[in-house]
Amino acid sequence: MKLNIRLAFLVALSTLAVGVSPASSNPVRSSQSQVNEITVISNNIELNRAKNLARQAAENANGGLGEYRAEASMHGASAEAPFVDNGDGTWTFTFQGHKPGASVYTVETVVTVSQNGRITVDYNGRIRNSSNVR
């Protein structure tokens, strides 16, 4: 029985190995395309770092993880986080949070993070009416 399982595994593995061709999976790209791709990846890394710093600043300002949880968007993909690119090398994140286990958000936090990691908590308090923000 073990021989049949090993044989089936080897057949499956060899089928996968033959079906993958590195030459066909790497299309020819221009150098400009590669530069743009590198820039996008670099910006995503910086934005993700900024998102994490903003969330951590809110956690610290609200008593730590034992007292506060930021909304789910601050834990996911950086492009889905509630942020504004200020165009000057900074991003401003505006997001809500609540006590652990609660389902109603009670705190609004606005944090600006620069590419060099400087963090400014612009607002941390009760959730404001959206017409009063900014």
Side-chain angles (χ1 to χ4, degrees), residues 1 14 30 35 37 46 48-49 66 78-80 91 102 104 106 110 114 117:
M1 183 65 176
S14 63
S30 70
V35 169
E37 188 174 296
E46 291 170 358
N48 193 56
R49 178 176 175 255
S78 56
E80 296 174 11
W91 296 277
V104 177
T106 57
V110 180
S114 69

Side-chain angles (χ1 to χ4, degrees), residues 13 30 61 113 127 134:
L13 187 60
S30 70
V113 181
I127 296 175
R134 293 176 224 244

